[in-house]
Amino acid sequence: MAKPFAYSLMAERNDAIDRLDIQFRWGGYGFRVLRCHLTSFAPGKIVRFHKHSEYEFHFIPRGKGTVVMEDNVYPLHEGLFYLTGPNVIHQQEADAREAMDELCLHIDIVPIKESEQEASWGDPWERHEAEACIRALDNLPMRPHVDQYNAMAWFLTAYRAWNEGQPGAFSTIKQAIIQILLRSARMSAIPNVTFEPPSRSINEHRFRIATQFIHDNYAQPLTLQEVAERIPISARQLQRVFREQGEESFTAYLENYRLSQICSAIVEGSRPIEQIALEHGFASSNYLYYVFKKRFNMTPKQFRKQHGTAGETKLFAAPRQTAP
């Protein structure tokens, strides 16, 4: 009994993805998908010599035939793939007695110039991988290869994303296309260039997580131990991180941030000082008066009167205190 054809679903509407205007950026390249479909060659069918300016990937999920690339003739059978293009003259022919199915991806790949701002925001790891992939594809030996990394299956992933109306279908299709490229490129003759993935300062990362948690929850009672558990590290480690990265203690940072938010609330609104104190994490207005007098040598009410325009708030938006 013949096994079910894994890609029969794609035959229901084999031009579905072709009708979509799929273009995306990956690393330093732009990609435009021209065709991504399943096609069938009747027994003896010949597609005469031709070439494409784009990259054309051919995968054989069923059947057999031959392909002529330049002056060489290669047999085709289930599980093979080959790349023609850009500008590779080739001819395909199905077996005289047996039909041949083909999963075909035509894709334009063009370098993109990026601004300095885009380069600083982009991921150097991704840029390296995209560059390495395209370089490997350009050096792929001109002959059929066994699809040993299962790139073929990603055609069905892309089709199902569209056919089922999956949330995030475009992102799934994009990732499926990238997987086809990456898995095909692994058959290249050129060695993979060693790349050290970008790493980050662990203490800088911990400081960023801790301060973001403070910014999100400063109006609630917060302790060094509670914030440390969110990272997670010990309270002693976190205190060292604050002194190293923020040049002040955890307590000083928390108090300074609360004060910066209170200064804005005092200047920008007319709510009672007592209410503002409670809303911004101070246990009582008396303690806020004490801290304010010590820091600014004035009471909150005097501060409101002196800085009663929102434009002057920045002078006190982020008060800092060097740890003793």
Side-chain angles (χ1 to χ4, degrees):
M1 182 178 178
K3 64 179 180 180
F5 182 44
Y7 300 90
S8 57
L9 177 65
M10 295 183 66
E12 294 179 3
R13 190 174 177 186
N14 60 4
D15 65 343
I17 297 181
D18 296 349
R19 292 172 174 269
L20 306 176
D21 185 14
I22 300 172
Q23 50 185 314
F24 57 87
R25 178 174 182 163
W26 178 41
Y29 293 88
F31 297 81
R32 181 188 290 274
V33 177
L34 304 177
R35 305 189 75 184
C36 182
H37 62 250
L38 172 71
T39 188
S40 297
F41 297 89
K45 171 70 174 178
I46 298 176
V47 179
R48 299 295 179 188
F49 282 104
H50 63 287
K51 64 179 181 177
H52 304 279
S53 59
E54 70 272 12
Y55 291 74
E56 183 181 12
F57 295 79
H58 310 258
F59 293 82
I60 310 301
R62 183 172 64 176
K64 59 183 180 179
T66 59
V67 61
V68 183
M69 290 189 280
E70 304 297 344
D71 296 324
N72 298 308
V73 181
Y74 300 98
L76 297 173
H77 58 77
E78 180 179 337
L80 294 183
F81 87 93
Y82 57 98
L83 173 62
T84 57
N87 299 315
V88 174
I89 298 176
H90 59 286
Q91 174 177 287
Q92 300 137 288
E93 182 176 353
D95 182 78
R97 296 183 179 180
E98 185 177 345
M100 182 175 69
D101 293 297
E102 179 182 282
L103 292 162
C104 192
L105 171 64
H106 290 235
I107 186 167
D108 267 334
I109 304 175
V110 296
I112 294 178
K113 292 183 179 180
E114 57 187 359
S115 67
E116 186 175 328
Q117 182 179 7
E118 289 174 325
S120 65
W121 179 253
D123 191 331
W125 195 350
E126 179 182 281
R127 288 199 298 271
H128 167 80
E129 289 186 344
E131 178 67 34
C133 178
I134 303 308
R135 186 170 61 249
L137 291 175
D138 287 340
N139 287 274
L140 193 68
M142 198 181 301
R143 58 176 173 79
H145 306 267
V146 175
D147 182 26
Q148 59 179 301
Y149 300 110
N150 202 23
M152 205 179 304
W154 289 88
F155 281 87
L156 193 54
T157 298
Y159 185 87
R160 280 178 169 156
W162 167 84
N163 187 56
E164 298 170 5
Q166 295 177 8
F170 170 78
S171 295
T172 300
I173 294 171
K174 170 186 172 180
Q175 290 304 318
I177 299 300
I178 291 175
Q179 286 297 322
I180 292 171
L181 301 180
L182 284 170
R183 290 164 187 259
S184 299
R186 290 172 69 179
M187 296 302 298
S188 177
I190 67 171
N192 188 27
V193 179
T194 301
F195 176 71
E196 187 67 30
S199 58
R200 56 190 171 195
S201 163
I202 188 62
N203 279 351
E204 183 180 340
H205 179 59
R206 287 167 171 169
F207 181 71
R208 186 179 298 115
I209 293 175
T211 54
Q212 185 59 57
F213 187 77
I214 289 173
H215 296 176
D216 293 339
N217 299 277
Y218 73 91
Q220 305 298 324
L222 286 179
T223 66
L224 177 65
Q225 181 64 41
E226 180 182 3
V227 177
E229 289 173 356
R230 298 285 177 169
I231 294 179
I233 55 176
S234 70
R236 179 176 296 180
Q237 283 179 295
L238 183 58
Q239 189 67 278
R240 285 200 299 266
V241 166
F242 267 87
R243 292 190 181 278
E244 173 193 311
Q245 298 292 322
E247 301 180 353
E248 60 187 350
S249 68
F250 167 83
T251 301
Y253 185 95
L254 174 59
E255 185 174 280
N256 286 337
Y257 188 76
R258 280 175 173 160
L259 277 176
S260 72
Q261 301 306 299
I262 284 177
C263 286
S264 296
I266 289 173
V267 170
E268 295 171 359
S270 57
R271 288 173 297 165
I273 302 299
E274 292 76 9
Q275 182 181 349
I276 292 175
L278 296 176
E279 289 176 350
H280 291 78
F282 278 81
S284 68
S285 58
N286 288 336
Y287 183 58
L288 173 60
Y289 273 85
Y290 167 78
V291 171
F292 226 86
K293 187 76 174 177
K294 183 179 180 182
R295 176 66 58 85
F296 302 119
N297 198 30
M298 66 179 73
T299 68
K301 290 182 179 180
Q302 290 171 331
F303 181 88
R304 172 176 281 171
K305 184 176 182 180
Q306 183 173 335
H307 303 281
T309 60
E312 297 182 33
T313 309
K314 291 184 179 180
L315 294 172
F316 299 90
R320 297 182 64 83
Q321 175 178 311
T322 303

